[in-house]
Structures are given as C-alpha cells and as structure tokens.
Amino acid sequence: MMNQDDSTWREYNVHGSADDAEDQPIDLFASSNADDAYETIQYDIDDETKINIRSETDYDKSTGMSVWKGSEVMCTYLRQNSDVVNNKKVLELGAGCGLCGLVCRMALNPESVLITDGDHQVLTNLRYNVELNGLQLADAATLKSSNATISCPQLIWGKNHAIKFVEWYGKQDVIFATDCVYIPQSVSPLFETINELLDPSGLFLFVNTCASACPMEDVLNIATEFGFVCSDDEFWYHDDDREKMKHPVHVFRRRKEV
C-alpha cells in the first residue's frame, strides 16, 4: 500500500542513481509468485504480546525488507528500560520491517509511535506488518486519537525532508535507529534529520550490529558536529554481547550549553 504523497525513492538511491538498479542481472531462478519471496515470523515478546513480522527471504535492493539483529537488541533494551518511552512521542528511523516500533506500540506505553522509512517498497511491507498485527494506521490528523496511535509515514533523511516532516508530526521525545548506517554518506543526513525532529530534551538511541563501511568513531564525530553527545556510562549491552562489549545501544543527548 503506497500513500498518494509517498515518493518513489528507493534505498539504492543513497549509493547512486535509480538507473543503476536497471543494470542489475536478472535472476533466472526467481519465483514468479511474489508470495514466495516472503516469510512471516512470530515474535513472542511476553506472555500476552505476540508480534508477526513479514520479511523477505532474500534481498531486493533494500536491506529494509529483513529483520536484523540490531532490531532485536533494541527491542530488548526498550523492554528493560520501558520508562524511556513511557508516555513519550516515539519515532523509529529506517524502520525496515518495523519490529521495534511494533514492540513499543504493543508491549509498552508510548503516547504515539511513528514507524518511518524512506524506501517506498519497504513502506508498503511496513504498513502491511502494522495491519497484520491488528493495529489501525493513523495519519497526521488522527494520530492523537485514542484508537489510532501509530503511523507509518515516509521519511527520507536530510534537513529539508525533516523540516517538512516536523510541520506535520511535530517534535519527538525519543528517536531510535538500528542497523541502518553502513555507508559514510548516510551519517550526516541521519543527524540532520534527528537535529530537526528531536525535542531539545529528547533522546536518540542507536545500535549497529551489521557490517558497516562507516566506523562507529566516525558516527560519534559527526554526532558531535551536530551537538549530540554519548557518554560511556550510558552504553547498554545485550546479555549476549556484554562480555565481549559488542554492539552497545548508544544513548545520545543534546550537548548542554555551558
């Protein structure tokens, strides 16, 4: 389901022009049945909350069609630190299949949840997943109603896109992103977006578990350029990663002016 106002932007536009996609080789063994490209996985969040996620069994020019480990790490963090999103306006960037945003909406107690992505094909699957779990999608006008507190608008990273987005949806208290920065040229647009959308006292949560051409040190340096800091004592580690100190959830705040 593509909304009328959605752009046809695809993730590979970050790497080059959309024309590059037309040069991809044809998979002679691909199924002609589109349903064969998907699988649905059930996540048992707790005794009462079961979340179904449809994802692709193979990539189709977008990493957002699969669930990555970073999403699962972030979900664990949010459940163990539920006060972070309690009664807060929450936004997920580069949400992909939407697992984190759905955990927020279905297992925690946020004021509202915006699950966003830039890639229009990913958005179609993302909205499918929201409705698959029995939730009513809202638009900007109805987001505050009691029966519809979740929305999946398109959000392409960058200052200009973010300025238009905040006119519709306002500032957010908590923004998070997982496994969505793997090339250097995406980092500055990411923080341009956060800088425009995050409330002055808000938090940005970030975890990266996938292979990336952009070292975490570079992410931290660019965050500093935009006035965001992440102190070492606020790193959070999943139990599976704590001993080796791998894949921490970074908690960013705006730098306080002295």
Side-chain angles (χ1 to χ4, degrees), residues 2-258:
M2 183 172 174
N3 287 355
Q4 184 176 357
D5 296 331
D6 288 347
S7 162
T8 56
W9 189 89
R10 295 299 311 277
E11 181 187 332
Y12 50 68
N13 294 146
V14 175
H15 306 266
S17 70
D19 293 338
D20 296 338
E22 297 178 359
D23 296 329
Q24 297 294 323
I26 297 173
D27 184 357
L28 297 178
F29 302 98
S31 170
S32 60
N33 185 351
D35 291 338
D36 290 346
Y38 294 101
E39 63 180 354
T40 300
I41 302 173
Q42 179 173 287
Y43 290 83
D44 297 334
I45 306 304
D46 53 41
D47 291 340
E48 298 180 354
T49 308
K50 317 293 182 185
I51 295 178
N52 293 299
I53 296 291
R54 185 180 74 167
S55 62
E56 276 193 348
T57 55
D58 199 2
Y59 302 134
D60 179 25
K61 308 182 186 71
S62 175
T63 59
M65 297 297 289
S66 299
V67 177
W68 294 77
K69 179 182 177 180
S71 295
E72 297 172 348
V73 171
M74 183 65 75
C75 287
T76 303
Y77 169 84
L78 292 170
R79 291 186 60 229
Q80 293 184 9
N81 300 271
S82 59
D83 57 305
V84 169
V85 298
N86 188 39
N87 293 318
K88 298 292 197 306
K89 295 179 179 179
V90 177
L91 183 149
E92 182 175 10
L93 291 171
C97 295
L99 178 61
C100 295
L102 284 167
V103 166
C104 272
R105 172 61 180 81
M106 296 177 67
L108 305 176
N109 186 40
E111 177 181 325
S112 61
V113 179
L114 296 172
I115 314 181
T116 72
D117 207 286
D119 189 306
H120 78 88
Q121 180 178 334
V122 174
L123 275 173
T124 297
N125 188 60
L126 179 56
R127 290 163 182 159
Y128 175 92
N129 281 335
V130 170
E131 295 180 335
L132 178 64
N133 287 280
L135 298 174
Q136 178 185 351
L137 276 169
D139 56 23
T142 61
L143 187 60
K144 293 183 178 179
S145 72
S146 59
N147 293 326
T149 57
I150 188 169
S151 184
C152 298
Q154 185 178 45
L155 178 53
I156 301 168
W157 297 353
K159 181 176 180 178
N160 292 336
H161 293 295
I163 289 173
K164 294 179 181 177
F165 189 91
V166 79
E167 291 176 356
W168 283 98
Y169 294 96
K171 298 281 187 178
Q172 303 297 307
D173 301 310
V174 180
I175 297 176
F176 52 82
T178 69
D179 286 343
C180 57
V181 174
Y182 50 91
I183 52 173
Q185 56 262 48
S186 63
V187 182
S188 288
L190 170 68
F191 279 98
E192 287 178 0
T193 303
I194 297 162
N195 193 42
E196 294 298 327
L197 297 184
L198 190 64
D199 185 83
S201 61
L203 298 178
F204 170 53
L205 312 174
F206 177 78
V207 63
N208 189 77
T209 68
C210 64
S212 174
C214 185
M216 191 62 209
E217 182 180 357
D218 291 352
V219 175
L220 293 171
N221 288 338
I222 293 175
T224 301
E225 293 175 9
F226 282 89
F228 291 94
V229 293
C230 177
S231 60
D232 292 344
D233 60 356
E234 286 196 295
F235 284 1
W236 181 91
Y237 292 93
H238 190 279
D239 289 344
D240 295 342
D241 299 319
R242 183 172 290 110
E243 183 176 347
K244 295 182 180 179
M245 299 185 71
K246 293 170 53 181
H247 313 317
V249 174
H250 295 77
V251 181
F252 289 91
R253 304 174 189 271
R254 292 187 188 274
R255 183 172 49 232
K256 293 183 178 179
E257 300 294 337
V258 179

